[in-house]
Every structure is written in structure tokens, then in C-alpha cells.
Amino acid sequence: MKLQRKNGLRATALGALAVTGALVLTACGSDDNTAGTGGGDGRTGAASNIKCDGATGKLLASGSSAQKNAMDLWVKNYMAACSGVEINYKSSSSGEGIVAFNQGTVGFAGSDSALKPEEVAESKKICKSGQGINLPMVGGPIAIGYNLDGVDKLNLDAPTIAKIFNGKIKKWNDPAITKLNDGADLPDKAIQAFHRSEDSGTTQNLGKYLGATAKAEWPYEAEKAWPAPGGQAASGSSGVAAQVKQVDGAIGYFELSYATSQSIRTVSIDTGAAAPVEATSENASKAIAAAKVKGTGKDLALELDYTTKADGAYPIILVTYEVVCDSGNKPETLSTVKSFLGYTASDEGQKVLSDAGYAPIPAEINAKVRETVAGLK
């Protein structure tokens, strides 16, 4: 596909960064803690405008695997600019990240779904003078990746995707698929659908899309746990992507950078627009641009439109939030949390997202994120 050819060199670089588990890098760079030369654009080693603002010591964080490749680049750039700081982000799952945050073991968590009311209530035990809030930091498409020998392009719509993951469509040459792919030579081969084994915000966002666009075929509530019968489970976005890469006839869902880094073909979505829409960061940006803030106060949780039919708008999208205390953050990590998240929300930090196949947060919303980060206590 064009997407893979276009991003080949970039994907290779991302693959080298995408190590499994926690990322721990040795701090290096300038002794000047207000700015550094840490390659802030993620590619060239150009001068960085990262503001370290007194950040020091070790900061632990964990959660969403969907943002892992972005977080890898952010941590690399930040630690190169800020001497004496160690950022350790453990890529696990949104559910595990929220648990760790509400247990007080991490400075912030990454989650592909906003905090539930009961999770906010629980966070008040950790955020002694405040509560957990959602800061949208990473946007992007949830790619439907597939591995089907001889089929370089594949179109699917929401009802068909729902039936595939619901076990109702079992063969690749099913009439529902052939109807959407006129002229394609689809084999009489069993579909092997893979889903996440653990609680996942990526799963929940896929469920929100299917629930909004194919309710009759997907009668499940949008939860982090996989709801449908059948299929095969794998751990993390990396695990699902690895299975799709290895198994002929496989299909699965994961953040786009996992597809680009492993050269996995992705499905174009027939939304009812003039043409099926490819999973690209640019196309996801068109859908995310319509997001509205639904949170109150300092909470910036977003409402996404999964039913868009706008030309070129990719509808299966997610936003990853960094979950922090609005007030009551641990004194020993507060400066580092504010400095690091200030970088990730900066123009420089958001530019890394486009370079890595993610979608930056819309400027109007991102301005509110920066203001909120600056006011954390």
C-alpha cells in the first residue's frame, strides 16, 4: 500500500525504538536545565526548545500501549535535553495504567479512555487536595490490520467489521466482503480475528465506533474488556500486531504506528463518503478536529464523532489521555510531571506525533491542555 511505501524509512526508525516493556534511557545532554540540544524534532538532532524547569530525579508512568511509540520518542528527546532526569514509561494497557495511578505508584497514567466517575472518586484518595483529570495528548487512527496473501487493498464497512469480530463472517470470500471489494480475488480462507487479552482503551474505542455505526451487528457496551465470543486474544497492541503479521488470514486492530513499523496492510473504511477512507494520521486528524470538550473544570475529556461521513475523515479514532492530579501531585515529581507534559503538549512535542504516524491534538484544545499543565499543583 502507498502508506507503507511512503513511511518505510520512518517505520524502520520507529521499529528500532519500539522495545517491549518499560523504557529506561540514560539521561544525557547539556547541563543547562532550561534548554538542550536533544533532537527535539525526533529526527535530525536539531536544537531543542524543551524547558526542563527544575525537573530532576526519576518519574514513573504507565498505561496505554497505543501511545507507546509516541512516548518512546518523547522520552528520548526530553531526556537528551534535561540532564539528571529519568522518565520510565511502562507500556501495558489503559486499564493497568489507571489502576497504577489510583494506587499512587506512578506520576501519571496513559489511557485511551477518559476516567469513569468511580475512577475519579477513587483518585481523590491519591490526589489529596484534588482529583484525577484527563489531558488529551495523543490522537490517531485505530487501524484494522490484515494479512491476506495476494490482497493488497481491502475495503470494509462497520457492519462487516462487526460481523468479522463477532464471529458471524468466517471466510474471506464471504459475500459481504466481496460486495465491498469489486474485482478483488478474495480466497476461500478462514478468517482469524485477534483481539486484546487485557482491558484496553483501544478495545473500548473500537467498541464505541461499532456501537455507533453498526448497533444491530454489535450489541455490546463499549467496555475495555473484549465483549464478543470467539476470536483469539493477544497481549497489548504489539501482541495483536505480531499475530496479524505472522498469521495468513488474520485480522486485528491496533494503533497505526504498529502497522507502519511492521509493514502490515490496513483496511480502508467505507463510511458512506465519496470513497473508502485509508487509515492515515492526516485522515484521523480530520475526524478528531470535530471533537468537543465534554469534561468540566480542568478535566478535558473529549467527545468524538465516530459516525462521520465527511470525505477523507477516518472514523475509527482514539485520543490518549495523560491522567494526572489537578491538585495534590507528589511534591518530589510535580516539577518533572509539569515539565515533561509541557513538552509533550508543546508545538515541538506535537510535531513528533505527525512524524510518527499519530494525529496531533487540535490547536484550540491543545491550548487548554498547556494551560492546565502549567497550573498543576
Side-chain angles (χ1 to χ4, degrees), residues 101-118:
F101 178 77
N102 279 337
Q103 290 177 343
T105 60
V106 295
F108 71 88
S111 176
D112 305 328
S113 296
L115 292 167
K116 295 179 178 180
E118 60 268 27

Side-chain angles (χ1 to χ4, degrees), residues 110-126:
S111 176
D112 305 328
S113 296
L115 292 167
K116 295 179 178 180
E118 60 268 27
E119 292 171 335
V120 173
E122 188 177 354
S123 74
K124 293 179 180 180
K125 300 175 184 177
I126 298 301

Side-chain angles (χ1 to χ4, degrees), residues 212-303:
T213 55
K215 187 64 177 178
E217 293 80 12
W218 194 258
Y220 310 106
E221 294 296 323
E223 299 290 349
K224 292 178 181 177
W226 181 253
Q232 302 176 61
S235 177
S237 291
S238 59
V240 175
Q243 290 298 318
V244 172
K245 176 74 172 179
Q246 295 169 8
V247 178
D248 187 26
I251 190 169
Y253 59 94
F254 31 78
E255 190 278 327
L256 179 62
S257 69
Y258 290 91
T260 57
S261 65
Q262 298 190 49
S263 298
I264 297 172
R265 298 184 182 95
T266 60
V267 169
S268 294
I269 306 300
D270 186 339
T271 64
V277 186
E278 287 188 46
T280 68
S281 58
E282 294 81 6
N283 292 343
S285 292
K286 294 177 183 177
I288 294 173
K292 305 295 183 185
V293 175
K294 66 177 182 179
T296 58
K298 295 181 179 180
D299 184 76
L300 299 177
L302 301 180
E303 182 176 353

Side-chain angles (χ1 to χ4, degrees), residues 191-196 230-234 240 243 247:
I191 295 174
Q192 299 197 53
F194 288 90
H195 58 263
R196 293 282 289 274
Q232 302 176 61
V240 175
Q243 290 298 318
V247 178

Side-chain angles (χ1 to χ4, degrees), residues 155-216:
N155 302 323
L156 296 175
D157 60 12
T160 307
I161 293 170
K163 290 178 181 178
I164 288 172
F165 282 108
N166 206 9
K168 303 297 184 183
I169 292 178
K170 301 181 182 299
K171 290 291 188 71
W172 279 109
N173 63 347
D174 187 277
I177 301 178
T178 58
K179 183 180 180 180
L180 294 166
N181 295 274
D182 187 36
D185 185 16
L186 297 168
D188 181 18
K189 181 177 292 183
I191 295 174
Q192 299 197 53
F194 288 90
H195 58 263
R196 293 282 289 274
S197 60
E198 73 287 352
D199 286 2
S200 161
T202 309
T203 294
Q204 188 170 35
N205 280 277
L206 176 64
K208 289 178 180 178
Y209 165 73
L210 294 175
T213 55
K215 187 64 177 178

Side-chain angles (χ1 to χ4, degrees), residues 353-364:
L353 298 181
S354 294
D355 294 340
Y358 293 87
I361 299 301
E364 182 179 350

